[in-house]
Amino acid sequence: MEEKDEKKRGDEISIGGGGGGGRGIVGDDVGEFPIGVTNCSKLQALKLSYNHFSGQIPVEIGSLGNLKILTLHYNKFSEPIPLSMWNLSSLVVLSAAYNNLEGNIPDEIGHLKDLVNISLAVNKMSGKIPHSLYNLSSLSVLSLSINQLEGSLPSNMFSNLPNLSIIELDGNRFSGPIPTSITTVFGLQKVDFSINNFVGQVPNLGSLRNLSALFLGRNDLGGNSFTNECEFIKSLINCSKLQEFSFEYNNFVGHLPNFIGNLSTQLTILAFGGNQISGKVPEELGNLVNLIGLGMENNHLIEFIPTSFGNFQKLQHLYMNNNKFSGEVPAIIGNLSQLSQLDLSHNMLNGSIPSAIGNCKRLEYLDFSYNNLSGIIPSQVFEIPSLSILLNISHNSLSGSLPSEIGLLKSIGTLDVSENHLSNKIPEAIGECESLEYLYLQGNSFHGIIPPSLASLKGLQHLDLSRNQLSGTIPQELQNITVLVYFNASFNMLEGEVPMNGVFRNTTEVSLSGNRKLCGGIASLRLPPCPSKATKKRKHHGFKIWMIVIIPSSVSNVENCLFSLFKIGLACSVDSPRERMTVMEI
């Protein structure tokens, strides 16, 4: 047994979930770096990933001169990496991602001549990339994502990195242009430069025939209004393995070229929202039949939604919001049976909501708000059982009733039908939307009472019923919804006593103005007091009619009593002792 343990120690030590089936000690430890392992001078692999180690990586780690694999990712190590670690010249794999490491990447990293894979992603590293790193010709994976690194990249950066297959620099503060030497690294498979401050034009990347993922989003690329900056896409037609491509939220101008439909049919992600792209969306885009996600939001795109979009049988996410699309929502939208999220908001779409939307049985998020849609809401919208995140059809010209089928949306979190022309009563079935958290019905013509069933929505946080024609009282049970933090029922025709507990105790989050017959509530609402019960009782008795049946003995007495018969709250007094009187209270 001792001999077996010694063999493990001399070869590999693995503590935690990062062992990947390797030999050694397996656990899920807390505390600091296990300093004892630094005595194992023959150790070749040390895997301490997926633990809760904290503190500093010890200086003693430099004594592991034979170490080839060091994985420390998913811990809580902090402070700078000790300089001694950069003397481990035999290292092939170094991963310290997902920690709290600080400081610069020192020039001594150039000592690791055999390094193939380095990942320092998701830390707090700062400063510039040292030039010595660009001379690590064996490097295949360089991942420095989500740090605080800065500076521009030298134009010849990639000249001595011929074996690079993955480069991830996203989520930093890099600036300047994308180095043109990137076109010489023919084996590149993934390039992620997103979420930085890169500027200028994108080099023609058609020479990168193995490229499968290109992320350029959220930079300052483009911005030259004198050229059609989307032309760089043409070079990517040569990248037949391309699966993911994004250049969203930059400054690209110009039209979307027709040849975008000639990109690899393996493409699953295409995102170019948040630019200044104008003109029509080419029908050829529908050639990319394997798309799962398509984002073109926040541009200046116009005219109709292409009918070729019906080819997107695998599409799960479609974002076309904040453009200038017009015409009707095409019925072919019902062909997209895999859709999970659909956003067509903030356009100029007209016509009715197609009932074919009911074929999208996997929809979780649906937003048609801020358009010119009219007609009734098809009941098929409420028969999509998967709607759970959002249903927003606000700020249109929809009319008719809110269908009772609304109760089928058991999992909906946010429902917004505000600012339309909806009328009739709010259906009681709305109380069956048991997961509802945000409900916006304002700016319509709903009448009738506030459904008491709303009180059964125990997760309701925001409720806006303002600017309708609702009457009756505010259900007292609403004050029992403990998470309700906002209530607006202003400008209706409500009356009666306002609840005093729950959300109704917070006057900054309750609006009841424009309801003249409301009373009571907490003093800071400044509503008139409600009549006391005693006052109500007296008023009630004041309307009682005393009917008097008289059996008179003379005609004159008959005349006197007939006059008294129509008095309210009075009894007829007859002087004659021979008269008999029966009094009936109604």
Side-chain angles (χ1 to χ4, degrees):
M1 186 69 179
E2 292 180 1
E3 184 178 351
K4 185 177 181 181
D5 287 342
E6 183 63 31
K7 183 178 180 182
K8 289 180 181 177
R9 266 177 38 177
D11 182 19
E12 174 182 322
I13 291 180
S14 175
I15 300 177
R23 295 169 292 165
I25 307 165
V26 179
D28 188 8
D29 286 3
V30 296
E32 297 185 346
F33 190 102
I35 192 70
V37 301
T38 60
N39 295 322
C40 305
S41 58
K42 296 181 180 180
L43 199 63
Q44 295 186 15
L46 177 58
K47 301 180 180 181
L48 303 179
S49 305
Y50 298 95
N51 285 290
H52 301 283
F53 294 133
S54 58
Q56 187 177 19
I57 299 172
V59 175
E60 289 83 353
I61 198 169
S63 63
L64 300 175
N66 293 308
L67 204 61
K68 293 183 178 180
I69 298 175
L70 175 61
T71 60
L72 306 172
H73 49 270
Y74 288 99
N75 279 289
K76 299 177 181 178
F77 291 121
S78 58
E79 302 185 38
I81 296 172
L83 284 175
S84 60
M85 196 176 79
W86 304 113
N87 293 325
L88 301 177
S89 57
S90 297
L91 272 183
V92 175
V93 175
L94 169 60
S95 177
Y98 293 90
N99 281 283
N100 296 307
L101 297 169
E102 303 171 358
N104 298 342
I105 301 174
D107 200 56
E108 283 80 359
I109 193 174
H111 298 165
L112 310 183
K113 299 295 185 182
D114 296 331
L115 202 61
V116 172
N117 184 328
I118 180 170
S119 178
L120 300 174
V122 195
N123 279 289
K124 299 177 181 178
M125 310 291 290
S126 57
K128 298 181 179 181
I129 297 177
H131 282 271
S132 61
L133 186 147
Y134 305 140
N135 292 321
L136 301 179
S137 57
S138 298
L139 206 59
S140 174
V141 176
L142 173 60
S143 179
L144 302 175
S145 304
I146 313 180
N147 278 286
Q148 300 166 21
L149 299 167
E150 59 187 11
S152 58
L153 305 178
S155 60
N156 64 345
M157 167 182 170
F158 294 94
S159 299
N160 294 321
L161 298 173
N163 296 304
L164 203 61
S165 62
I166 295 175
I167 180 167
E168 298 171 333
L169 303 181
D170 53 295
N172 282 284
R173 301 170 184 171
F174 294 115
S175 56
I178 296 174
T180 54
S181 58
I182 193 172
T183 61
T184 65
V185 188
F186 305 130
L188 269 175
Q189 299 174 24
K190 180 181 180 181
V191 175
D192 195 342
F193 287 163
S194 60
I195 319 177
N196 279 288
N197 299 310
F198 289 114
V199 298
Q201 304 305 304
V202 179
N204 290 337
L205 302 176
S207 58
L208 310 183
R209 300 299 180 90
N210 292 308
L211 193 64
S212 63
L214 176 60
F215 301 109
L216 304 173
R218 299 183 187 273
N219 281 285
D220 293 314
L221 296 166
N224 185 349
S225 59
F226 298 104
T227 62
N228 189 348
E229 294 170 333
C230 294
E231 285 293 321
F232 81 94
I233 298 172
K234 192 170 188 178
S235 67
L236 296 175
I237 295 173
N238 295 328
C239 304
S240 59
K241 298 179 180 179
L242 193 62
Q243 297 179 25
E244 299 175 276
F245 175 35
S246 72
F247 55 102
E248 78 274 18
Y249 294 92
N250 280 282
N251 298 311
F252 293 109
V253 299
H255 292 182
L256 201 62
N258 293 347
F259 53 70
I260 195 169
N262 295 330
L263 290 174
S264 169
T265 54
Q266 294 187 40
L267 201 65
T268 59
I269 302 295
L270 176 60
F272 53 89
N275 284 286
Q276 300 177 47
I277 299 172
S278 56
K280 298 191 298 184
V281 176
E283 285 279 345
E284 289 82 355
L285 190 59
N287 295 341
L288 306 177
V289 295
N290 287 308
L291 281 179
I292 294 174
L294 175 58
M296 58 182 75
E297 74 283 0
N298 292 297
N299 278 290
H300 306 297
L301 299 166
I302 62 172
E303 295 195 17
F304 306 108
I305 298 173
T307 56
S308 63
F309 278 23
N311 299 336
F312 296 143
Q313 300 294 309
K314 298 180 181 179
L315 198 65
Q316 298 176 19
H317 304 275
L318 176 57
Y319 306 106
M320 303 179 70
N321 48 296
N322 292 87
N323 280 286
K324 299 177 182 178
F325 289 114
S326 58
E328 297 187 355
V329 180
I332 54 94
I333 209 80
N335 293 353
L336 312 184
S337 59
Q338 302 300 309
L339 265 186
S340 171
Q341 299 195 2
L342 173 61
D343 194 340
L344 298 177
S345 64
H346 294 268
N347 280 288
M348 298 184 292
L349 298 168
N350 54 45
S352 59
I353 298 174
S355 58
I357 193 71
N359 296 332
C360 304
K361 298 298 185 183
R362 298 188 178 186
L363 267 178
E364 299 175 357
Y365 180 107
L366 177 60
D367 195 343
F368 284 153
S369 63
Y370 290 91
N371 279 286
N372 300 315
L373 299 173
S374 58
I376 64 171
I377 306 171
S379 60
Q380 289 86 349
V381 171
F382 302 104
E383 295 171 358
I384 303 174
S386 55
L387 273 175
S388 56
I389 301 174
L390 172 76
L391 172 57
N392 189 348
I393 49 178
S394 67
H395 294 85
N396 281 286
S397 298
L398 299 166
S399 57
S401 303
L402 196 57
S404 60
E405 286 86 354
I406 194 171
L408 298 174
L409 300 180
K410 305 292 186 184
S411 302
I412 195 68
T414 298
L415 175 61
D416 191 346
V417 298
S418 63
E419 310 301 337
N420 279 287
H421 304 310
L422 300 173
S423 57
N424 297 325
K425 295 181 179 180
I426 301 172
E428 276 282 338
I430 201 167
E432 299 172 17
C433 303
E434 53 196 36
S435 298
L436 200 56
E437 296 179 349
Y438 301 92
L439 176 58
Y440 303 106
L441 304 177
Q442 71 269 21
N444 283 286
S445 298
F446 291 118
H447 62 256
I449 65 171
I450 298 174
S453 62
L454 287 174
S456 63
L457 302 176
K458 300 305 181 184
L460 194 62
Q461 299 179 37
H462 283 214
L463 175 58
D464 197 332
L465 305 170
S466 61
R467 291 178 290 112
N468 280 287
Q469 300 170 22
L470 298 170
S471 57
T473 61
I474 298 174
Q476 292 288 320
E477 294 83 1
L478 291 178
Q479 66 187 337
N480 299 327
I481 303 178
T482 57
V483 297
L484 187 63
V485 294
Y486 177 81
F487 179 80
N488 189 348
S490 59
F491 299 100
N492 280 284
M493 297 181 290
L494 299 170
E495 59 184 29
E497 187 173 5
V498 173
M500 298 185 66
N501 294 311
V503 68
F504 299 97
R505 297 188 64 82
N506 188 351
T507 55
T508 61
E509 298 299 330
V510 172
S511 181
L512 300 172
S513 58
N515 293 280
R516 296 181 180 179
K517 295 184 180 181
L518 287 176
C519 62
I522 62 174
S524 54
L525 285 174
R526 298 182 179 180
L527 295 172
C530 294
S532 66
K533 292 181 180 179
T535 305
K536 288 181 179 179
K537 188 174 182 180
R538 285 197 298 272
K539 287 183 177 180
H540 177 65
H541 287 171
F543 284 95
K544 288 182 179 179
I545 299 174
W546 294 76
M547 292 189 65
I548 302 144
V549 181
I550 303 156
I551 304 174
S553 60
S554 66
V555 173
S556 62
N557 287 330
V558 170
E559 292 175 350
N560 291 333
C561 290
L562 284 174
F563 175 77
S564 301
L565 184 63
F566 298 99
K567 292 290 186 178
I568 298 175
L570 297 176
C572 178
S573 175
V574 182
D575 294 333
S576 173
R578 291 178 298 173
E579 294 167 349
R580 292 176 297 164
M581 179 174 68
T582 303
V583 180
M584 298 178 64
E585 181 181 334
I586 300 177

